Amino acid sequence: MNRTDFPILKETVHKRPLVYLDNAATSQKPQAVIDAIAEAYSHWNSNIHRGVHHLSQVATMKHEEARKAVADFIGAKSSDEIIFTKGTTDSLNALAFSFGEACIREGDEIIVSAVEHHSNIVPWQMLCERKKAVLRHIPLRDDQTLDIEAFKGLLGEKTKLVSVAHVSNVLGIINPVEEIVRIAHSHGVPVCIDGAQSVPHMPVDVQALDCDFLAFSGHKMYGPTGIGVLYGKREWLEQLPPHEGGGEMINHVRWTGTTYNDLPYKFEAGTPNFVGSYALHKAVEYMQSIGWEAIETHEREVTDYCEQQLAAIEGVHVYAAGQPKAGVISFNVFTNHQSPITNHPSLQGGNGGRLLLHPFDIGTLLDQQGVAVRTGHHCAEPLIDELGVPGTVRVSFGLYNDKSDVDAFIAALKKAIMMLS
Ligand code: PLP
């Protein structure tokens, strides 16, 4: 992987070379993406779709080419099924509102899972409050994988939608979304996949998965902030109402009422982020130029290497240890002191009864050595509560990280543990 494509990786932090291991929060950008933003504003910035003039036509063409590239990237049948949003959160909120208006009545049920990011919990909670519906969740087994048997038991006549993360942003575990879709569909229930942590790391083909909706963010896949995607099967998008009103999403507006535009514009009220979509297109091209096989092999090697190195450190507890992970590892460090903070079963087997070194303290000491990690609840408080800890330390990898980053992180971690113990 060519690290020199990412100018920020040359930065120093606290006079140390930057070791960036916070990719699950946001990825760094290759020069091609940075250049695309400057190019758009320097050469063809102009509002799209409504202009007859040259610049507007160029901008429109770039936006629609980006839509087609994204459709191809995730294997959608048509670019009409690609709605540009601000990101995963925006996509899930749009779906919760639109699907909720059309399909949810009092007493209906929606199923998420125990590992969801708040973005795939709160919009559904808000919908359930509005409609007096019920939110259920698939529990975890002891090994921190989803309990698929329990999921089967949750599905019933009242279930109207299942919405699950493809990859947990805390545990890194890859959920069996293909199986979840198959089971839900056998009950006639549609499935939305939160692909925020999967689309940057593995090929996600919506037709192969047969999911009904997919949400993801540009900024986690080497693209810019402020652009994301909601994919929906045409047959669903056609029957769902728009979630926002304004320009672009209309066909005609009269005082007597409004008729709505065709797909995908029905769901894109207002001036879209056409510079963002263009830069996202460049990010997609960048990933394609490297290829999935190279990305997946490399990231698996680096992630596995890091997990092995972590497991070898006295007192480190890796969550979902040994499970295949997509570029994310969460852990805590326990010392031999008394007064256990937690007694949760997930911490047994060498760690139970030990004192937790606070993730925030570890994160701060790593930062002082130039290593960027994330600490805390990672916007997944229900999962963190279930783990029985105040938070975790999370390292997450992008395609530019390599074993030297892991070595620098492990050396910094050992130092931090020594200082805190
Ligand atoms: N879902 C998952 C699994 C995530 O990891 C994140 C962000 O970390 C989100 C949703 C929200 O993404 P965004 O903040 O880009 O909307």
Side-chain angles (χ1 to χ4, degrees), residues 37 41 63 66 84 223-227 272-281:
I37 295 167
Y41 287 122
H63 188 59
F84 282 122
T225 46
I227 187 88
N273 183 0
F274 54 87
V275 176
S277 65
Y278 179 62
L280 176 61
H281 186 178

Side-chain angles (χ1 to χ4, degrees), residues 54 73 85 134 167 175 192 209 283 288 291-292 294 301 320 327 343 380 384:
H54 175 73
F73 188 62
T85 64
V134 180
V167 169
N175 289 324
C192 170
L209 285 175
Q288 286 170 331
W292 276 124
E301 264 174 34
N343 235 350
I384 293 294

Side-chain angles (χ1 to χ4, degrees), residues 134-149:
V134 180
L135 185 64
R136 302 207 177 280
H137 68 271
I138 310 170
L140 290 185
R141 287 189 286 237
D142 285 347
D143 64 359
Q144 285 146 7
T145 59
L146 294 186
D147 188 337
I148 297 300
E149 287 311 306

Side-chain angles (χ1 to χ4, degrees), residues 85-250:
T85 64
K86 289 186 283 184
T88 309
T89 306
D90 194 35
S91 299
L92 292 169
N93 274 280
L95 180 65
F97 187 86
S98 176
F99 189 90
E101 283 305 292
C103 306
I104 300 294
R105 307 275 170 272
E106 185 171 343
D108 285 346
E109 295 182 3
I110 295 159
I111 299 176
V112 296
S113 87
V115 301
E116 299 308 323
H117 188 281
H118 296 161
S119 295
N120 199 27
I121 299 175
V122 184
W124 306 114
Q125 279 180 332
M126 291 162 74
L127 166 62
C128 288
E129 220 166 276
R130 247 184 1 256
K131 295 283 184 157
K132 297 190 173 63
V134 180
L135 185 64
R136 302 207 177 280
H137 68 271
I138 310 170
L140 290 185
R141 287 189 286 237
D142 285 347
D143 64 359
Q144 285 146 7
T145 59
L146 294 186
D147 188 337
I148 297 300
E149 287 311 306
F151 169 54
K152 290 178 188 164
L154 289 176
L155 280 159
E157 278 189 0
K158 290 180 179 170
T159 314
K160 292 294 179 293
L161 182 76
V162 173
S163 188
V164 288
H166 196 169
V167 169
S168 160
N169 69 307
V170 177
L171 303 172
I173 283 186
I174 305 161
N175 289 324
V177 285
E178 231 162 300
E179 189 182 2
I180 288 172
V181 169
R182 207 170 48 244
I183 295 166
H185 282 181
S186 71
H187 287 73
V189 176
V191 178
C192 170
I193 294 177
D194 174 349
Q197 298 295 345
S198 60
V199 175
H201 298 288
M202 62 185 73
V204 176
D205 183 317
V206 290
Q207 286 190 68
L209 285 175
D210 199 24
C211 60
D212 301 274
F213 305 98
L214 172 75
F216 57 99
S217 300
H219 70 97
K220 294 182 194 286
M221 49 183 286
Y222 315 105
T225 46
I227 187 88
V229 172
L230 174 63
Y231 156 84
K233 277 184 183 164
R234 177 188 288 280
E235 48 271 37
W236 272 113
L237 295 181
E238 273 174 350
Q239 55 176 296
L240 295 182
H243 60 295
E244 285 179 335
E248 200 59 49
M249 49 76 69
I250 56 95

Side-chain angles (χ1 to χ4, degrees), residues 19 21 305-306 309 402-413:
V19 177
L21 299 177
Y305 177 66
C306 186
Q309 297 294 308
D402 58 23
K403 288 183 180 173
S404 74
D405 291 323
V406 175
D407 291 339
F409 153 65
I410 293 289
L413 177 64

Side-chain angles (χ1 to χ4, degrees), residues 383-420:
L383 172 59
I384 293 294
D385 285 349
E386 191 161 340
L387 298 180
V389 285
T392 72
V393 186
R394 181 184 76 183
V395 288
S396 53
F397 303 101
L399 53 79
Y400 37 70
N401 291 120
D402 58 23
K403 288 183 180 173
S404 74
D405 291 323
V406 175
D407 291 339
F409 153 65
I410 293 289
L413 177 64
K414 284 180 177 164
K415 214 171 193 180
I417 293 172
M418 219 168 61
M419 290 165 79
L420 291 169

